[in-house]
Amino acid sequence: MENIVLIGFMGSGKTTIGREIALLGGRFLLDTDQIIEQNMGKSIREIFESVGESGFRRIESQLILWLSANVKNAVIATGGGMPIYNDVSYLGKVFWLDMGFESILKRLNAKEQEKRPLMGDVSKVRQLYDERKSMYKNQSKYIISGDASAKEIARRIVECVDKEVQ
Ligand code: S3P
């Protein structure tokens, strides 16, 4: 059974939707940022401070190799930059959670922004969002509109996977 892989910009709901997919049964959620934090014993912000973004990206690449060799039938919520620097199709069936920039900003309160070292000046974040959109599209097999409840999006994704299996 292939993994379900969720990609998308920061704040597009990958972890929340991944959890809803896990709650539907049969799969456990793996969140790549959380795995990296647990293994390094540091927050993402602290990792950026100690080894820089390039060091963080190297860890992400190693994690992809490990997950693709060792994990199946999971739902994998990726960090927003993972598919920008790596081919994530090795991980499984890739779904892009396509959400408008304004909705993303609304979802990320100050505390959530603080956790993310690449969040800052809104115009810079918007530029990053615009630059990345086509890359998310190219890396995904399915595009899912983020414009529904997490439960509903999870249901749509699982329905899509089940249909393919039949
Ligand atoms: C990043 C997104 C973050 C985290 C890191 C870098 C990015 O994950 O991996 O701060 O480059 O978009 P989320 O997408 O879960 O916020």
Side-chain angles (χ1 to χ4, degrees):
M1 291 290 279
E2 256 190 298
N3 298 309
I4 294 176
V5 182
L6 305 178
I7 67 169
F9 200 72
M10 294 177 267
S12 58
K14 293 161 293 195
T15 305
T16 311
I17 291 160
R19 188 171 298 121
E20 291 294 342
I21 293 174
L23 287 171
L24 289 173
R27 293 179 186 86
F28 275 86
L29 168 65
L30 299 175
D31 179 294
T32 63
D33 281 344
Q34 285 173 14
I35 295 173
I36 291 171
E37 287 183 327
Q38 275 167 356
N39 277 269
M40 305 295 291
K42 286 182 176 148
S43 69
I44 297 292
R45 183 169 282 284
E46 287 166 344
I47 296 169
F48 267 64
E49 277 161 14
S50 62
V51 294
E53 181 174 356
S54 59
F56 174 72
R57 299 301 174 200
R58 273 196 295 278
I59 302 168
E60 281 192 311
S61 302
Q62 286 166 7
L63 181 55
I64 291 184
L65 288 177
W66 185 82
L67 288 169
S68 57
N70 294 293
V71 172
K72 54 183 196 280
N73 206 23
V75 51
I76 301 176
T78 61
M82 192 178 252
I84 306 302
Y85 299 96
N86 305 275
D87 182 350
V88 288
S89 64
Y90 294 113
L91 289 177
K93 212 163 273 181
V94 181
F95 291 80
W96 171 32
L97 304 177
D98 181 15
M99 184 175 271
F101 187 69
E102 300 306 325
S103 310
I104 283 177
L105 281 189
K106 264 189 224 143
R107 283 178 49 93
L108 290 175
N109 59 29
K111 189 166 159 244
E112 287 301 315
Q113 294 200 21
E114 179 57 30
K115 286 186 201 161
R116 295 170 167 85
L118 298 182
M119 287 296 294
D121 173 25
V122 178
S123 65
K124 286 218 179 92
V125 181
R126 183 188 282 276
Q127 198 186 333
L128 192 64
Y129 174 87
D130 290 338
E131 283 165 10
R132 285 183 170 184
K133 262 192 117 163
S134 62
M135 294 186 244
Y136 290 132
K137 190 165 182 226
N138 291 340
Q139 286 262 9
S140 58
K141 183 159 189 207
Y142 301 97
I143 301 172
I144 303 282
S145 163
D147 212 10
S149 72
K151 269 196 172 50
E152 174 57 20
I153 295 173
R155 198 196 58 72
R156 284 181 200 162
I157 291 174
V158 170
E159 188 183 77
C160 175
V161 171
D162 288 348
K163 241 189 228 155
E164 275 214 347
V165 172
Q166 281 166 14

